[in-house]
Amino acid sequence: MKAVVVEQTGGPEVLQSKSSYPVPIAQTGQLLVRNNISGVNYIDTYFRTGLYPSAKPEVLGREGAGIVAALGPNTSGFQVGDRVAWLGTGGYAEYTAVSAARAAKIPDGVSDEDVMASFLSGMTALSLAKETYTVQQGDWVLLHAAAGGAGFLMTQILKAIGAKVIGTAGGVEKCTLVKSLGADVVIDYRSEEGKDWVNKVKEATRGRGVDVVYDSVGRDTWEGSLEAVKRKGTIVWFGNASGPVPPLPLAKLSPKCVKVARPTLFGYIETREEFEYYTKELFSMLRSGQLKTKIHKVYLLEDIAEVHSDLEGRRTMGKALLRP
């Protein structure tokens, strides 16, 4: 099969496109899925660079959608021909062996493309808004990278709850997109005015600060996020687009009694019941039209280096997808 393999850490150039990679065999409790489309996420770059350690050689890709091609031993709940979406590893390939516990049947009326534009990112956004910090109607929320794959979805989810959203993004086009999603305040951090985004947040909240900050940028924004959050507020760091947050002295949290969280989706979907809760919630929002998706571009497998370069260069709006 065709697959993209990483044999050593490094830049986008270490992504090797192979045309005769072995098709995996579904083991006990697994499905073999013939991928129709796969998602590309910023976290993939962390495994490529070694920011998140992982064994090499490795086929990257944390999610895919396609057709069940085979069942492993003692695998129930699915049959060959089912249309499914999955979370796991090995999505940059034509076939992936995945745990049945992390696969969900895609309902009629929802396209593979819409699912992949929202599956990992959408469940992440839902868990952040429902569990990491339970957003309430009227809360002020600061959302960094609001035009990105996760931010695009989270803006909509936050507005559906009734929150007041301050979104940051880079450039006029991205800011226009975030505003169209219903964000109450949009800050272009690339503009001269937007460079002082902390004061813009304080102005919008009349000096109070926001109830919660959702920060997937990391190194470039962490100090400002601490300034922008209110007394007794919460900061949720869930990504490192500009690099990881440096070691944080706990004493910095004391003056305003700030709470800090560093969640991961997989901590919220450890059981099958939890996984099904979030997939059903997501599919319901997609079917009803409450949640709109935006696909930046569908790339071919052999263009994977371009995808990673676009992600790291912040040249994407919405979700990057990969056609095996």
Side-chain angles (χ1 to χ4, degrees):
M1 68 173 183
K2 292 191 293 183
V4 173
V5 183
V6 175
E7 295 181 343
Q8 61 184 23
T9 58
E13 71 278 357
V14 303
L15 296 159
Q16 301 179 52
S17 184
K18 307 275 189 178
S19 59
S20 56
Y21 198 74
V23 175
I25 298 171
Q27 304 298 320
T28 300
Q30 288 189 325
L31 312 172
L32 180 65
V33 179
R34 177 170 54 80
N35 296 312
N36 176 45
I37 200 138
S38 301
V40 182
N41 297 282
Y42 211 97
I43 193 173
D44 299 346
T45 70
Y46 302 158
F47 289 105
R48 191 204 74 223
T49 61
L51 178 62
Y52 288 1
S54 57
K56 303 290 186 290
E58 177 181 21
V59 176
L60 299 176
R62 312 290 285 182
E63 59 181 338
I67 303 296
V68 175
L71 304 177
N74 302 317
T75 301
S76 59
F78 296 88
Q79 57 186 351
V80 172
D82 282 344
R83 196 162 63 100
V84 298
W86 59 265
L87 294 178
T89 58
Y92 294 4
E94 288 184 284
Y95 290 87
T96 309
V98 302
S99 170
R102 290 289 181 272
K105 295 178 184 177
I106 301 173
D108 293 340
V110 180
S111 70
D112 289 358
E113 288 76 13
D114 277 344
V115 170
M116 275 302 96
S118 62
F119 199 54
L120 178 61
S121 299
M123 285 198 285
T124 297
L126 284 167
S127 67
L128 293 176
K130 289 178 174 287
E131 292 200 66
T132 310
Y133 172 89
T134 305
V135 179
Q136 303 293 324
Q137 184 175 359
D139 279 352
W140 275 103
V141 179
L142 172 59
L143 176 63
H144 289 298
F152 178 87
L153 300 169
M154 192 155 190
T155 302
Q156 297 175 73
I157 289 168
L158 292 169
K159 290 309 298 179
I161 294 170
K164 292 176 283 190
V165 178
I166 303 173
T168 69
V172 174
E173 189 178 4
K174 288 185 176 183
C175 288
T176 301
L177 173 65
V178 175
K179 192 69 176 177
S180 74
L181 299 173
D184 300 85
V185 179
V186 182
I187 301 171
D188 181 356
Y189 64 80
R190 288 183 181 172
S191 70
E192 197 59 39
E193 184 181 18
K195 288 177 181 177
D196 192 15
W197 58 266
V198 173
N199 279 331
K200 291 294 176 187
V201 171
K202 289 181 178 179
E203 287 173 15
T205 59
R206 298 183 178 180
R208 175 176 170 271
V210 294
D211 296 278
V212 60
V213 181
Y214 289 108
D215 190 338
S216 62
V217 177
R219 183 176 58 201
D220 290 352
T221 52
W222 74 276
E223 289 188 276
S225 292
L226 280 167
E227 288 186 57
V229 75
K230 73 169 189 178
R231 181 177 64 88
K232 297 193 284 186
T234 300
I235 299 176
V236 181
W237 279 300
F238 67 104
N240 315 279
S242 66
V245 173
L248 177 66
L250 291 178
K252 288 185 76 71
L253 308 179
S254 300
K256 291 195 290 185
C257 302
V258 173
K259 296 182 285 291
V260 169
R262 183 57 177 91
T264 175
L265 170 63
F266 291 91
Y268 293 124
I269 57 169
E270 188 170 314
T271 69
R272 180 66 189 181
E273 290 74 20
E274 291 169 331
F275 178 76
E276 288 183 349
Y277 170 81
Y278 281 113
T279 55
K280 288 177 180 177
E281 183 87 0
L282 179 66
F283 291 156
S284 175
M285 294 184 76
L286 289 172
R287 291 188 73 177
S288 68
Q290 189 177 29
L291 187 65
K292 306 293 185 184
T293 64
K294 181 174 178 59
I295 296 169
H296 171 71
K297 183 178 176 181
V298 179
Y299 298 79
L300 297 177
L301 199 65
E302 51 266 31
D303 297 329
I304 189 60
E306 179 187 349
V307 190
H308 277 229
S309 294
D310 287 346
L311 278 177
E312 292 175 305
R314 301 186 186 183
R315 292 186 290 272
T316 63
M317 285 200 303
K319 188 63 176 275
L321 299 180
L322 199 61
R323 184 82 67 190

